[in-house]
Amino acid sequence: MNIYTQVCGLIIVVLLLVFYRKQPTMGLSSEKRFITTLYAILGCVVLDIASCFLIVNASKYNSTIVLVTCKLYLLSLQTVSYCALAYTVADIFRYFGSEFEKFLGRLFRYSFIIGLFITTYLPVEYYYDGRYLYSYGKAAIATYIFVAIHIILIIASTMVLKNHIKQQKTNALLIWMLIWICSAVIQFFKPQLLIVSFSACIGALIMFFELENPQSVISRKTGHFSSAVIYDYLDYLYKSKTPFSAMIISFNTLNDTSSENKILRKTINTLSDFLFSIKAAKVFDTAEGYFFLIFNNKDFLENTKFKIETYFQSIEDNPDIAYAYTLLHPYYTIIPDSHIAADADDLMLLVTNFVPNNHNNLITNEVIIDKDAMALLRNRKQVEKMVISAMEDNRIEVHYQPIYNIASGIFSGIEALVRIRLNDGTLVYPNDFIPIVEETGRIVPLSDTIYKNVLSFIKSYRIEKLGIEKVELNLSVKHGESPVFVSRILEALQKEAIEPKLINFEITETYSIRSKENLAKNMEKLKEHGISFSLDDFGAGSSNLNYIVDMPVDIVKLDMHLTEEYFTNAKAKAIVKTVVDMAHSMGLRIIAEGIETKQQLDEMKSLGVDYLQGYYFSHPLPEHEILKFLQQNNL
């Protein structure tokens, strides 16, 4: 009896099962289907060996037992092929939609059951001549047909939906099916070569090493699940409609120094060892230096947070770790309910936006992400998308508000203010999108678009001939501190043949010390070419007089709210008078925003303000209207 191949296959499958069972798994659909397929292959090999043994020793056993065992082996072959099909489509059904998924699932399941019934009903026979043995008959032919159908469906599924399946899985499945087809064809024409069940074992071995090896999803540094499979697990939970909660543990880093990085690694390693005791969570070690814990119960989340905090308190006596704990205090991002996100993409968006790199400005060591936070995040993303779309479709508009020069009695300046024109014709104003694009970094390409439009406007209409001495442009910190900002601005002015002295950039006092230093250097370089600068929104929030002293500005622009307070608040009036006197003593000029009445205009004149801006003169106007305004009032 030649059953060496079956015995080899049995050893392979048993080893795979033993190794697989000892490793941590995430419980994904594909993992469950793979382990089911392994058990099906194990049963198939055992029945193959049993049928061979009984055929050889048929004279010692009842013929019914021999035939039943042979038929069970044939049924196991169909079961293996069906399990392989289920494993193939485990990750791709969702691309059809739920109703079609159910239809396909029923179709596959019923065809499998029908195949089992037909094979069970049809007769099977066996042959043994002392050297060769095999089973044959109508039941065997039916098995070949139904296994072939399953193989065809597997190949068709991988080919039709190859864009939705990992290339690695597609290749492995196709190799497995090719091996199985070749072995089936060989055994069909030479039934004495019993290699079909062995080929299933080889296929399982290929799938294991290519895709299903649990060690491939484990971080070598910590032994927890790696960041590469976080999305797959979240996607599985959402697709299977399994509710869960999550907690992200990050650390407060102050400086990018080698000593701090060593402390961070020590802290992460220490916490990692402790997290193995948390059985209620799937723990993922991310490449960014934080841990992502996923729970199937909110109570587990709260208990785990308490355990982690207690653990850190318990090790404060250790000098090294206590120092690390103090310097790199753990920070918790809590997602109490998975329903706040629609899918895995939504939740990963949360991870990206709510795990800060620096926690120094945070009052507590945790933030809880609820539906309101998610709604705010979605709104930010929609605004960002709106800005990108507007830039692509050329729907960025610049309106201009005139600035009145008290000394000359004409409008010698205009401020460029951005607007976004929606597809329905309505306008979106800066306060609705500028703060968001500042945070996301989209302010740089947006500013480039604005500057391009403004320079084109200046060149096309030669507005200096209409009395304009300065065109004021808002300057973002990300733009102004860039090392290429100076060269790009000068290159754009040279290309449009525009005098630099026509340009005045408005800056605000909301910069970090480092940004302030870089910005100041660029400002000095541009001032050498004739470009001027003004300090915008002075008096908004907590003003810092050092900005006037340290930054090379020529103009101080009073915030419109401070201007309003001047007329109703004695303290504000005293502040404004002091600022005006101080600025003039330093050789700076003053612009007062928010002028809306003749009385306000007269008082600002008597105060000694140099320029006035506000609705009393005009709202911000589109290009053709500002040109008409200047022609009527300056010429």
Side-chain angles (χ1 to χ4, degrees), residues 361-380:
N361 298 324
L362 298 172
I363 299 175
T364 66
N365 70 330
E366 75 172 33
V367 60
I368 298 177
I369 310 303
D370 53 17
K371 290 184 177 180
D372 292 338
M374 194 63 193
L376 179 62
L377 178 60
R378 287 197 181 101
N379 178 66
R380 289 176 56 188

Side-chain angles (χ1 to χ4, degrees), residues 46 54 59 66 76 109 229 332 384 400 434 528 571 619:
V46 170
L54 289 174
S59 60
V66 179
S76 70
R109 194 177 303 114
V229 291
Y332 306 94
E384 187 177 3
Y400 299 88
I434 290 296
E528 292 174 1
K571 291 182 179 179
H619 287 71

Side-chain angles (χ1 to χ4, degrees), residues 205-225:
L205 189 65
I206 292 172
M207 298 306 298
F208 178 83
F209 283 113
E210 283 294 310
L211 287 170
E212 300 299 339
N213 183 354
Q215 283 295 317
S216 65
V217 300
I218 300 297
S219 169
R220 295 186 177 183
K221 293 182 179 179
T222 62
H224 295 292
F225 294 114

Side-chain angles (χ1 to χ4, degrees), residues 263 266-267 312 314-327:
I263 294 172
K266 180 179 289 187
T267 307
F312 272 116
S314 70
I315 62 173
E316 287 185 358
D317 292 336
N318 183 323
D320 293 334
I321 301 209
Y323 177 62
Y325 176 74
T326 302
L327 184 62

